[in-house]
């Protein structure tokens, strides 16, 4: 069951929209923040809140990159591999990260600390190469700085 | 931020160095919201739209459609609500202007929203922002809350009796939600798959209601048009494309960043004078004028003024003004691999030509890059790209085909070199 606080936050999002379903993405974001991912029974509960069939919720979840149906690491580390970052070494950075963490992009470290991934342009091309750790952008990176950032993660 | 030529008019970013400008009081200290108050109190919606049409402001989201004309499509006589949507999905590789406009000038954006909201009679603006933009979303929500508490938004906007609210909606990671009807689907809590048109959003948009979608930057120009007048606005830029725009320059340049310059500024001036040229004494090989969807231009074609009417003659387009520069070490087949990977990953999958075509383009590019390609593969690339163009529900498939066609048009010999050498002849190029 989603917590009382999350449920209240979902209701507040619903109140902002002309139709209930307009708050579905916001609700999924809130629920995922509580559980770290979207377990099936939680998606069913969301479906119930919105008066939708569970498959309608699954479909939406699978369309968007930010929703996860498997448990994730404590931190999301996503390297930008679009054109400008690639031109300035972004893919090299990703290769080094994979070697350093011992996982491929798309995987989570064994200690559950980091889920490594790559993303398309994050709108910070003027500071390439860059990556995103959870909600924070880190800009103008080289390998030394990237390593420091990783080592600083709990 | 680079504003290196002092005489250049830069009105959008004029106060961006001032952190106080992001607060309501700081914005008001610069005369903020005075223009909206005056326009809402003194003009009729028809007058507002008339002024905007005369100004000739073109949309800055990629397609360059006339903003005033778009607003005039909104029905004025229907019962029930109509909506405005601010497209803050900015995901075109090479673009980063909207993020800075939201982070440094959130109230400028809100003031830019209020004027067309009044002119189109919209009750609500949905500000749809890509999910990755957590920091801009936080800054915007704070600005919306402050504006609501300060009587700038709400039931009596700036004391004029007009009612308007702005609702911030966050995306969840899907490039296609930047396409305006994909955005509308996402706003309604669905998969962001573009709709067939017609009906157009002005007829049936968000939640089945008349809706206008504009880009963040488009809105930001609006208060300045009304503050200083149509003649002033048209004195900047070109005849067909008035005003400034934020050119985002990235890639192999000395000073990457945003440069607010008049539309029609020459591409080589932007790259060499403003962004400092290519580092390390290397030569420039090619540049993309407006985000990866726009066909690239080889070094010999860079004296083009950056406005659609001129770029069109070179087979390209302004797009989002995101200039990506590539130096002489760059392998153009690798560029093709990176761009086509993006389109393969981001196709929404509704149209067969797009879903299958983007996969093929990427597969062929990789094969050629790795030395396994044949001359016939080049024809297949052209054939696949040609079949994707103009055949699909949205313009994404065109955007995927154009860069490939431009690469083959200008750098066919490089593709052939890969085929003949059976490997990449550019060992110095960026890592793939
Ligand atoms: C595939 C695709 C992606 C798009 N992405 C964006 C985007 O991220 N931001 C944006 O403002 N417009 C984007 N557009 C353009 C919008 O569909 C729409 O034309 C624009 O938001 C209208 O605003 P404007 O008239 O102010 O430019 C995209 C279009 C396509 C076909
Ligand atoms: S062209 Fe591509 S992105 Fe656009 S609707 Fe068709 S499949 Fe989706
Ligand atoms: S290409 Fe990496 S932020 Fe744009």
């Amino acid at each position: 069951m989603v917590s009382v606080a999350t449920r209240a936050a979902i209701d507040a999002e619903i109140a902002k929209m002309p139709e209930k379903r307009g708050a579905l993405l916001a609700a999924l974001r809130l629920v995922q923040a509580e559980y770290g991912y979207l377990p099936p029974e939680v998606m069913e509960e969301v479906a119930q809140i919105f008066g939708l069939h569970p498959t309608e919720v699954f479909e939406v979840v699978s369309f968007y990159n930010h929703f996860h149906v498997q448990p994730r690491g404590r931190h999301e580390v996503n390297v930008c591999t679009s054109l400008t970052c690639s031109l300035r070494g972004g893919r090299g950075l990703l290769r080094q990260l994979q070697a350093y963490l011992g996982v491929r992009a798309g995987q989570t470290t064994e200690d559950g600390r980091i889920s490594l991934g790559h993303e398309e342009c994050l709108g910070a091309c003027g500071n390439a190469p860059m990556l995103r750790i959870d909600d924070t952008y880190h800009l103008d990176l080289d390998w030394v700085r990237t390593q420091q950032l990783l080592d600083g993660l709990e | 931020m680079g504003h290196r030529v002092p005489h250049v008019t830069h009105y959008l970013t004029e106060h961006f160095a001032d952190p106080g400008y992001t607060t309501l009081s700081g914005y008001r200290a610069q005369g903020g919201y005075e223009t909206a108050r005056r326009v809402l109190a003194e003009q009729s919606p028809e007058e507002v739209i008339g002024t905007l049409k005369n100004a000739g402001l073109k949309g800055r989201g990629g397609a360059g459609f006339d903003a005033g004309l778009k607003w005039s499509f909104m029905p004025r006589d229907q019962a029930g609500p109509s909506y405005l949507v601010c497209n803050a999905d900015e995901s075109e590789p090479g673009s980063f202007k909207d993020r800075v406009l939201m982070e440094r000038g959130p109230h400028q954006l809100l003031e830019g929203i209020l004027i067309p909201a009044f002119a189109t009679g919209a009750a609500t603006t949905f500000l749809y922002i890509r999910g990755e933009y957590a920091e801009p979303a936080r800054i915007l929500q704070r600005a919306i809350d402050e504006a609501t508490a300060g009587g700038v938004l709400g039931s009596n906007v700036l004391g004029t009796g007009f009612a308007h609210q702005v609702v911030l909606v966050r995306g969840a990671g899907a490039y296609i939600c930047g396409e305006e009807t994909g955005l509308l689907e996402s706003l309604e809590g669905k998969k962001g798959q573009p709709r067939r048109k017609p009906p157009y959003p002005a007829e049936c948009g968000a939640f089945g209601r008349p809706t206008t979608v504009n880009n963040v930057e488009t809105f930001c120009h609006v208060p300045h048009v009304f503050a200083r007048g149509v003649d002033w606005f048209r004195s900047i830029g070109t005849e067909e494309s008035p005003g400034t725009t934020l050119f985002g320059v990235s890639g192999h340049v000395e000073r990457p960043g945003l440069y607010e310059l008049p539309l029609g500024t020459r591409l080589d001036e932007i790259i060499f004078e403003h962004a400092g040229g290519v580092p390390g004494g290397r030569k420039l090989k090619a540049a993309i004028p407006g985000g990866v969807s726009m066909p690239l231009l080889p070094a010999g074609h860079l004296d083009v003024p950056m406005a659609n009417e001129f770029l069109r003659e070179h087979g390209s387009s302004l797009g989002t003004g995101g200039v990506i520069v590539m130096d002489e070490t760059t392998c153009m087949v690798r560029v093709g691999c990176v761009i086509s990977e993006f389109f393969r990953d981001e196709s929404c999958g509704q149209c067969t030509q797009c879903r299958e075509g983007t996969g093929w383009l990427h597969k062929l590019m990789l094969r050629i890059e790795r030395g396994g390609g044949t001359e016939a593969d080049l024809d297949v690339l052209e054939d696949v790209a040609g079949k994707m163009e103009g055949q699909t529900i949205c313009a994404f498939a065109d955007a995927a085909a154009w860069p490939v066609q431009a690469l083959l048009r200008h750098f066919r010999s490089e593709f052939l070199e890969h085929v003949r050498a059976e490997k990449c002849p550019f060992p110095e190029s960026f890592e793939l």
Side-chain angles (χ1 to χ4, degrees), chain A residues 80 82-85 121-125 130, chain B residues 93-94:
Chain A
C80 174
S82 277
L83 185 56
T84 295
C85 283
C121 180
L122 287 157
C125 328
M130 60 82 65

Side-chain angles (χ1 to χ4, degrees), chain A residues 29 64 84 88 95 121 123, chain B residues 99 130 171 190 250-251 431:
Chain A
R29 178 189 298 281
Y64 294 95
T84 295
R88 296 183 70 109
R95 176 181 47 76
C121 180
Chain B
R99 179 172 61 84
R130 66 181 295 191
K190 300 172 188 157
S250 70
E431 184 171 340

Side-chain angles (χ1 to χ4, degrees), chain B residues 337-387:
Chain B
C337 289
V338 172
I339 295 179
S340 58
E341 182 184 275
F342 169 78
F343 286 104
R344 183 203 59 186
D345 289 348
E346 297 296 332
S347 167
C348 88
Q350 281 188 101
C351 320
T352 313
Q353 298 94 322
C354 175
R355 188 182 59 241
E356 303 297 322
T358 53
W360 269 105
L361 293 180
H362 181 244
K363 218 179 281 177
L364 288 162
M365 285 283 179
L366 262 189
R367 183 152 87 199
I368 296 167
E369 169 58 23
R370 290 180 177 152
T374 63
E375 256 179 70
D377 285 345
L378 306 197
D379 302 327
V380 180
L381 271 175
E382 257 161 6
D383 187 49
V384 172
K387 289 204 170 93

Side-chain angles (χ1 to χ4, degrees), chain B residues 17-40:
Chain B
D18 169 16
Y21 191 66
T22 60
T23 66
L24 180 57
S25 58
Y27 185 65
R28 285 204 138 131
Q30 302 293 349
Y33 290 118
E34 256 321 291
T35 306
R37 196 198 52 72
R38 193 168 43 79
V39 170
L40 270 58

Side-chain angles (χ1 to χ4, degrees), chain A residues 3-13:
Chain A
S3 67
V4 175
T6 299
R7 181 59 210 257
I10 293 174
D11 288 339
E13 293 294 335

